[in-house]
Amino acid sequence: MQSKELLVKSLIIRQNRFLKLFRPDGLPDLPGGHVEKGEGRRQALFREITEETGLSVEILHPIVRWSLSKNSSAIINSITCLCRHKAGSPILSFEHQDWAWEDLKYLYQFKPTVWVPTNLRS
């Protein structure tokens, strides 16, 4: 039987720019992570955004849903939600080394695998 993991990510928008985080290995990332047991998706997304950026946001709606096989025994289902920046400047956790407000025209550079935490890639 395959196990299923749920991942939530956020596309945080502020003045036609999105928040791009950088992992310690230099790869770009979006704020987000795993939904913990007993936690709803929205609750998990607020928690992850707060832990990883310290920002105040409004979660608007899902914009991308995707799945991938981590290995033959695990499937990752993910939802990326559009969020509006309300207040604050990013204060990063240990998971990221830098951040930038990137012009929306560069969003196409994000490959779906960028939205998956490194430790989940097979």
Side-chain angles (χ1 to χ4, degrees):
M1 173 185 256
Q2 288 188 323
S3 69
K4 292 186 179 181
E5 299 177 41
L6 183 57
L7 188 71
V8 289
K9 287 288 195 172
S10 60
L11 181 63
I12 301 173
I13 304 295
R14 184 188 84 168
Q15 299 172 352
N16 292 320
R17 296 182 176 276
F18 71 97
L19 180 64
K20 180 164 74 172
L21 303 178
F22 294 92
R23 297 178 182 149
D25 61 8
L27 289 174
D29 195 11
L30 296 174
H34 284 92
V35 176
E36 296 176 358
K37 188 173 183 155
E39 188 176 46
R41 293 179 205 155
R42 191 174 192 82
Q43 180 184 11
L45 191 55
F46 273 121
R47 176 183 52 75
E48 288 287 349
I49 291 169
T50 301
E51 288 174 2
E52 293 181 6
T53 72
L55 296 177
S56 174
V57 303
E58 176 185 4
I59 298 173
L60 300 175
H61 54 80
I63 54 173
V64 177
R65 294 175 194 262
W66 48 271
S67 296
L68 63 86
S69 294
K70 179 176 172 182
N71 54 46
S72 60
S73 63
I75 293 177
I76 299 169
N77 292 308
S78 181
I79 297 171
T80 301
C81 292
L82 181 63
C83 300
R84 180 181 301 129
H85 174 259
K86 288 173 46 177
S89 290
I91 300 170
L92 301 180
S93 71
F94 69 93
E95 295 178 62
H96 299 98
Q97 67 178 5
D98 205 0
W99 60 272
W101 287 106
E102 187 77 72
D103 193 293
L104 283 172
K105 68 182 178 184
Y106 297 111
L107 187 58
Y108 76 90
Q109 294 174 339
F110 266 72
K111 296 180 175 126
T113 56
V114 171
W115 301 22
V116 180
T118 307
N119 64 338
L120 295 182
R121 294 187 199 158
S122 42

